[in-house]
Amino acid sequence: MAHPQPIAKLQAPARMVKDQQYDEVSVVEISPHAILPQTTGGFSVMLRHQDRLLLYCRRGEQFTPAHRDRLAAMGIHRLYIHAHEKKFYEEYLHRNLPKMLDDDGIPVDDRALLWGQSAAGLVKDIYQERLSRSLAGKRFARVEHMVQSSTDFIRNPDALKNIASYVSRGYSEYHHSLGVMVLALSLAQTYEHFDDETLTGLGLGAIFHDIGKIRLPQFIFAKKPSERTPQEMAMACSHPTLGVVVAGSLPLHQLTIQCILFHHEMENGQGYPSGICGADIPLPVKILSLCNVYENLTRATAEGPAKTPFEALSWLKERRDRFDVDVIRRLIMVLSKADLA
């Protein structure tokens, strides 16, 4: 494959996409670090020169080390793909995410962005497509693969900080689920006895913990709990059991099912739906429960504006009878290491 010429000479009509400026609806911006050597993408890659987009690599051509080196030499920080090829780019991200996350040649903040683009697309589909049959096969495998690929990367405090910043920008249910997953996996890795299967089950539990809400009227969750009628409150509190039903066709870990069902249980037995307490709540579920509450507190919701990390942690400490105290301590440690508290 011929290497592209320096930007100043990229004027050949054969390499020109169109003699016009593209608007933001027509193209999607991507990072040059998404171009991995010895991989092939089902999308064309373009770069911007003045008011034009010029073809850099055609769909189906293999990327080489020279592609990255040339982009760096030209000082290119953003590339573009056709909007109608975005699904092929997302498939490429999912397929190559482990390589990207393990590549120390890619800055941590760029790896966090690539992770966010891949993870958000997957989880958004789950909550918006309401677990269509296709999810039970290929799509669920992608979600599981994403969780497994994320675990080691999230262990890095710098990665956690950048991922948390990315996830916090969203307001949707799937952003919340991703935020809970990141915190829960980070916290769980402070325990030496959790194996990979447990971490995967916990990560999937975080992704799916609120899936039961898709079966309920959404206006309920737009209200403050204090403004809900008794019937609406009962419906809202049914989402853990509904979640188990909604996800019943998926090949879930037993721990993942426990996370969905018990994520609103409390240490003092005043949670729901079962009212179990203390040692009856599995430790990974306690981790998820705490991270769920903290993430909700630090995100603007119907209950009010987002609290600062200090305010959220103070709120948790004042209600420490609801949570495992050691889990609270470990959450503070994880947030401090990542400079998030």
Side-chain angles (χ1 to χ4, degrees):
M1 171 179 171
H3 301 315
Q5 302 174 36
I7 186 82
K9 298 180 180 180
L10 278 174
Q11 301 291 340
R15 302 294 289 178
M16 190 176 296
V17 179
K18 275 193 177 181
D19 188 13
Q20 66 179 47
Q21 184 175 9
Y22 274 62
D23 59 34
E24 295 305 316
V25 177
S26 303
V27 297
V28 176
E29 186 179 280
I30 68 171
S31 168
H33 294 297
I35 306 302
L36 291 181
Q38 282 75 57
T39 63
T40 302
F43 50 91
S44 296
V45 178
M46 298 169 283
L47 53 81
R48 190 182 295 279
H49 176 54
Q50 297 177 356
D51 63 344
R52 296 175 179 176
L53 287 172
L54 305 179
L55 185 62
Y56 184 71
C57 185
R58 296 184 186 279
R59 176 179 179 178
E61 293 186 55
Q62 187 178 65
F63 304 129
T64 69
H67 279 101
R68 261 198 185 172
D69 295 341
R70 186 63 61 86
L71 290 170
M74 291 189 295
I76 302 298
H77 301 292
R78 289 291 177 264
L79 296 174
Y80 302 86
I81 63 172
H82 289 290
H84 67 267
E85 293 183 336
K86 183 180 178 183
K87 65 177 181 179
F88 300 115
Y89 172 68
E90 291 177 343
E91 290 174 358
Y92 174 84
L93 275 184
H94 303 330
R95 189 168 61 249
N96 293 286
L97 185 62
K99 293 179 183 178
M100 294 175 182
L101 297 183
D102 289 341
D103 189 344
D104 291 333
I106 303 177
V108 172
D109 56 342
D110 276 310
R111 280 183 278 169
L113 177 61
L114 292 170
W115 177 91
Q117 291 175 338
S118 176
L122 283 174
V123 181
K124 180 180 179 180
D125 285 346
I126 291 172
Y127 280 87
Q128 291 190 346
E129 295 190 11
R130 297 177 178 266
L131 292 183
S132 61
R133 288 188 177 182
S134 63
L135 181 62
K138 184 177 180 180
R139 188 164 293 165
F140 176 78
R142 285 181 176 178
V143 174
E144 186 174 42
H145 180 65
M146 181 272 290
V147 172
Q148 293 167 341
S149 302
S150 303
T151 304
D152 286 341
F153 182 58
I154 289 172
R155 185 181 290 119
N156 181 338
D158 288 336
L160 173 60
K161 182 177 181 179
N162 281 280
I163 288 177
S165 175
Y166 176 85
V167 172
S168 66
R169 300 171 197 167
Y171 298 97
S172 301
E173 198 65 53
Y174 64 88
H175 286 109
H176 166 65
S177 294
L178 281 173
V180 175
M181 187 200 84
V182 169
L183 285 176
L185 287 179
S186 299
L187 200 162
Q189 291 184 85
T190 66
Y191 293 89
E192 295 181 358
H193 64 281
F194 286 154
D195 58 18
D196 291 342
E197 184 178 0
T198 299
L199 293 174
T200 299
L202 173 59
L204 288 169
I207 294 297
F208 288 102
H209 76 279
D210 275 341
I211 199 67
K213 290 183 177 180
I214 67 175
R215 290 281 184 89
L216 296 168
Q218 294 306 296
F219 74 85
I220 294 176
F221 302 104
K223 289 184 174 183
K224 294 181 179 180
S226 60
E227 297 174 348
R228 294 172 186 159
T229 66
Q231 182 182 16
E232 290 170 348
M233 184 61 74
M235 292 176 68
C237 291
S238 72
H239 79 268
T241 51
L242 278 176
V244 174
V245 174
V246 171
S249 63
L250 303 178
L252 298 179
H253 299 243
Q254 182 63 31
L255 173 58
T256 300
I257 296 173
Q258 292 174 336
C259 287
I260 296 172
L261 184 59
F262 297 139
H263 69 274
H264 279 292
E265 301 292 356
M266 297 182 185
E267 194 74 8
N268 60 13
Q270 295 181 9
Y272 62 88
S274 302
I276 59 176
C277 63
D280 291 333
I281 306 174
L283 179 56
V285 179
K286 294 182 181 184
I287 292 171
L288 172 61
S289 175
L290 179 68
C291 292
N292 178 47
V293 174
Y294 175 84
E295 219 282 337
N296 269 322
L297 289 171
T298 54
R299 185 181 297 275
T301 66
E303 297 187 39
K307 296 182 183 295
T308 66
F310 177 80
E311 291 170 337
L313 291 172
S314 297
W315 190 97
L316 293 172
K317 289 179 181 178
E318 291 171 359
R319 296 159 180 81
R320 62 174 61 90
D321 62 313
R322 303 181 185 181
F323 309 100
D324 186 302
V325 176
D326 182 60
V327 178
I328 295 178
R329 180 183 66 80
R330 289 172 184 262
L331 175 62
I332 295 172
M333 177 180 67
V334 166
L335 294 173
S336 298
K337 284 185 176 181
D339 196 25
L340 291 170

